[in-house]
Amino acid sequence: MVPGRMDFADAREPSAVQGLLLRAKSHEGSGTLSQAAFIRRTDTTGAITPKLPYGVYDLAANSGWVSVGVDHDTAAFAVNSIRQWWLTVGRARYPQASRLLITADSGGSNGSRVRLWKRELQKLANEFGIDIVVSHLPPGTSKWNKIEHRLFSFISQNWRAKPLVSYRVIVELISATTTKTGLTVRCKLDTGQYPSGIVVSDAEMAALNIKRAGFHGEWNYTISPGPHRPNRAFIS
């Protein structure tokens, strides 16, 4: 987790879902499944690489959810991955939850400065009726995100040297990823269309029900359901 982040409820409290980690697609380094590996291509073996695998890792349950997209890497796609995790797994696992705590990178489609990310999270909070609490890792520290070491590194090992000849093979290989510590992974192909270039206006940002934390409010904030309160500041 981010040092100095907000003081959230203990993970054992039934009213909170703690440790929901997201994998951003950053350009930092050449580590496991960096963004370059997401671009669909045909190599000399005729295999294709997944275009947009986006991961959610539940720290408490040691379980992962991966959405494999076929369109653009946008914040709408990222948030829909969270939505699918919640509808398929999360709400049954945490029926009394009143909020989600998300740890995310600072760059990529879920970056701390991405307006569409915050707008889509507002829709999610309204849809589920829960607070969305977000803590971004500082810029340049994406490899600190535990999802890299507890989920995507094992996915990379599991499909190593295996031709990725179809999306079905990709989904099956990701879903078959396990570890000695009990990691389980569910994967689903997301065939939705997520157009790029969407502009979120100042008025839309001002309408978000968002509250900055006292410590680095540009990285730590809560988006709550409900109507916008007058004169609420927004994060650009």
Side-chain angles (χ1 to χ4, degrees):
M1 296 300 175
V2 182
R5 62 170 176 77
M6 291 181 285
D7 184 17
F8 300 120
D10 187 88
R12 294 167 293 183
E13 295 185 7
S15 62
V17 178
Q18 287 267 28
L20 181 64
L21 309 182
L22 304 182
R23 193 204 191 285
K25 296 158 205 63
S26 68
H27 289 281
E28 298 172 20
S30 57
T32 301
L33 293 180
S34 64
Q35 188 170 25
F38 297 157
I39 306 304
R40 183 174 182 177
R41 62 180 174 81
T42 302
D43 60 21
T44 55
T45 67
I48 63 168
T49 58
K51 188 172 184 182
L52 297 172
Y54 195 96
V56 177
Y57 177 71
D58 185 340
L59 188 62
N62 191 24
S63 67
W65 171 275
V66 179
S67 292
V68 177
V70 299
D71 196 45
H72 295 94
D73 173 17
T74 70
F77 169 66
V79 172
N80 194 55
S81 299
I82 304 171
R83 176 182 288 104
Q84 295 306 313
W85 170 82
W86 178 254
L87 293 175
T88 306
V89 179
R91 64 180 178 182
R93 182 176 292 161
Y94 305 104
Q96 301 181 46
S98 60
R99 62 180 178 174
L100 296 178
L101 169 60
I102 298 172
T103 300
D105 298 345
S106 282
S109 55
N110 55 226
S112 59
R113 300 181 65 182
V114 178
R115 290 187 169 198
L116 183 61
W117 161 253
K118 298 182 179 72
R119 193 191 74 177
E120 293 301 309
L121 284 180
Q122 181 68 71
K123 292 180 181 179
L124 200 67
N126 294 343
E127 181 180 340
F128 295 158
I130 56 178
D131 288 348
I132 307 293
V133 184
V134 183
S135 283
H136 291 274
L137 278 76
T141 63
S142 66
K143 300 310 174 187
W144 293 2
N145 197 333
K146 290 182 175 62
I147 195 172
E148 299 283 0
H149 315 291
R150 298 191 181 186
L151 177 61
F152 274 95
S153 62
F154 295 109
I155 292 173
S156 181
Q157 291 177 32
N158 192 54
W159 69 19
R160 182 174 51 194
K162 296 181 175 66
L164 305 178
V165 295
S166 68
Y167 282 111
R168 178 177 178 180
V169 170
I170 292 166
V171 170
E172 289 178 348
L173 286 173
I174 293 175
S175 300
T177 303
T178 59
T179 65
K180 293 180 179 179
T181 59
L183 171 70
T184 60
V185 183
R186 300 184 66 173
C187 182
K188 184 177 180 180
L189 187 66
D190 185 344
T191 59
Q193 299 298 302
Y194 301 98
S196 60
I198 294 177
V199 177
V200 179
S201 67
D202 289 350
E204 289 178 289
M205 290 301 296
L208 299 182
N209 192 11
I210 190 168
K211 181 179 180 181
R212 294 179 185 238
F215 178 83
H216 277 289
E218 74 278 20
W219 297 338
N220 303 293
Y221 49 88
T222 299
I223 298 178
S224 301
H228 164 63
R229 300 174 187 175
N231 301 320
R232 180 177 292 278
F234 62 88
I235 302 174
S236 62

